DNA sequence: GTCACTTTGCCATGCACGTTGTACTTTACC
DNA sequence: GGTAAAGTACAACGTGCATGGCAAAGTGAC
């Protein structure tokens, strides 16, 4: 097995955890090395410096999570959808209940660091992560509109509204999942959000 | 004039700016002192340490901004409201267009720091800031419901939905105002948000 | 088993920062 | 104008951190 790739994975996983928990500035290379089970010197054999490590981590984490989210979304909203409300609720529940706590903690760190991340890196992160997911939601809603199951409207705006209504309250109240809400409450929020979405976007 | 109170104000203002821009960890006392036009020693004559300074700053900033937001809200939604849609749009526009950039940058930093802020401080911040504003929106919507201008529903949930629809997209796309959106776009987002809210909550 | 490549441990350097003590200066008030 | 409170300049201490060098040890491929 290539040692190199193994170490790389370990480093990125460790860095994700530590950056997510501590934030960019507080996170130290020593801490990351410990978390990854690797020497600090090895980290510097793989990446140029701390900021390059951060950019790599956010990029790969965004790609991985966006992939999973789009896949779940296709499962819930793709193919035959007998009950639209039920499908939207299922999608929204998955979306509001982030499985990958580290990733979403990292998102908070990114949002706080906006002013210190190079524009290109930020843009590329948005493109592989949040915007990718947004485009996927949009495509599904456009299809529902074309099929006459939702009223015709700007699918871009509608996708934003759906995600905000379904996941926005959970995100803001739980600080992106840092202080988790009871499952019962999440379900209620999601159902009410979809309810409102459907009232507004019913054909 | 009491020098003491003057210096205190200068320190808190400078600390707000620096904490907002740099985040808690990266912000240094030297930087804050420079920004405030004060010696570092004076800072330590006013607060015990850096973390106490941070807690004081977030608390006072939350109080000040919440006060202004509630006041603007009362202006738009209180008293006689001939045109509900127009009033909601006016309110939402004020709400989505944060005047105090420092404060909202600080909010991002707080969200990233959740895991490092003592629970009591975080709770108290939420109570004087976001929850206070939420309760005020709620009260206005409850009144509209009682008057039959909105359908009867949980005002708490409705208030969340209104704020999310009106300001959520602006907040998330502009990173709480860090990368400002063109005014034209903000207006369009706000109008669409209110439109959806009214479709869902019309009597 | 040898070899090229990685990894590791350890040391070193230089810097930035939080925090404190001290001795001097400013300032509001009598 | 004198006095007590508050502010400032400056130096100092200890610590933690990013980063680099180097030689020794490990490891997969032949």
């Amino acid at each position: 097995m290539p040692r190199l790739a193994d170490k790389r994975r370990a480093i990125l996983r460790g860095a994700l955890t530590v950056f997510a928990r501590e934030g960019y500035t507080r996170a130290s290379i020593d801490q990351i090395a410990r978390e990854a089970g690797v020497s600090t010197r090895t980290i510097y054999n793989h990446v140029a410096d701390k900021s390059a490590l951060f950019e790599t981590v956010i990029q790969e984490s965004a790609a991985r999570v966006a992939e999973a989210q789009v896949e779940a979304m296709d499962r819930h909203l793709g193919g035959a959808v007998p009950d639209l409300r039920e499908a939207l609720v299922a999608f929204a529940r998955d979306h509001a209940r982030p499985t990958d706590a580290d990733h979403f903690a990292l998102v908070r760190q990114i949002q706080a660091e906006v002013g210190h991340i190079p524009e290109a890196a930020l843009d590329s992160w948005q493109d592989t992560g949040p915007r990718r997911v947004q485009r996927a939601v949009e495509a599904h809603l456009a299809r529902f509109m074309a099929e006459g199951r939702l009223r015709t409207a700007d699918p871009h705006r509608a996708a934003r509204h759906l995600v905000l209504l379904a996941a926005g309250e959970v995100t803001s109240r739980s600080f992106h999942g840092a202080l988790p809400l009871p499952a019962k409450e999440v379900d209620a929020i999601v159902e009410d959000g979809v309810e409102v979405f459907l009232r507004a976007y019913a054909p």
Side-chain angles (χ1 to χ4, degrees), chain A:
Chain A
M1 309 304 127
R3 260 185 306 174
L4 211 146
D6 278 355
K7 293 291 171 181
R8 183 190 143 89
R9 248 192 305 281
I11 291 169
L12 292 182
R13 201 175 37 69
L16 170 59
T17 301
V18 177
F19 279 136
R21 188 180 51 220
E22 308 291 342
Y24 177 76
T25 308
R26 204 188 330 245
S28 78
I29 299 288
D30 282 352
Q31 223 175 147
I32 293 172
R34 232 175 301 128
E35 181 78 34
V38 148
S39 83
T40 64
R41 209 59 189 71
T42 300
I43 293 182
Y44 282 103
N45 289 345
H46 283 258
V47 297
D49 56 16
K50 192 181 169 185
S51 71
L53 177 57
F54 187 71
E55 289 181 23
T56 309
V57 166
I58 70 177
Q59 191 67 29
E60 304 219 341
S61 186
R64 185 172 46 80
V65 171
E67 189 62 40
Q69 285 186 329
V70 169
E71 198 260 335
M73 186 187 317
D74 289 348
R75 209 165 356 97
H76 291 308
L77 302 181
V81 174
D83 185 332
L84 182 56
R85 172 186 306 261
E86 207 176 290
L88 289 177
V89 167
F91 153 69
R93 201 154 22 203
D94 269 18
H95 213 263
R97 206 171 234 324
T99 41
D100 192 329
D102 276 352
H103 170 78
F104 288 93
L106 187 63
V107 171
R108 279 184 288 132
Q109 305 297 348
I110 293 169
Q111 288 171 345
E113 284 287 318
V114 172
H116 297 91
I117 300 177
E119 208 176 322
L122 187 62
D123 202 64
S124 145
W125 172 77
Q126 289 188 97
D127 225 59
T128 58
R131 285 204 280 253
R132 158 119 196 263
V133 173
Q134 157 79 20
R135 282 190 299 266
V137 177
E138 212 172 302
H140 284 292
L141 295 187
R143 187 167 62 86
F144 293 137
M145 289 175 187
E147 292 170 0
R149 306 179 71 176
L150 292 177
R151 73 179 167 86
T152 304
D154 177 4
H156 185 274
R157 200 49 58 77
R160 290 263 176 195
H161 287 162
L162 174 58
V163 171
L164 284 170
L165 287 169
E169 178 168 352
V170 176
T171 297
S172 74
R173 276 200 26 216
S174 74
F175 292 96
H176 282 267
L179 313 173
L181 260 50
K184 266 273 167 44
E185 204 160 344
V186 172
D187 287 354
I189 291 170
V190 163
E191 276 163 36
D192 281 10
V194 170
E195 162 79 19
V196 164
F197 178 79
L198 285 176
R199 273 180 186 265
Y201 283 96

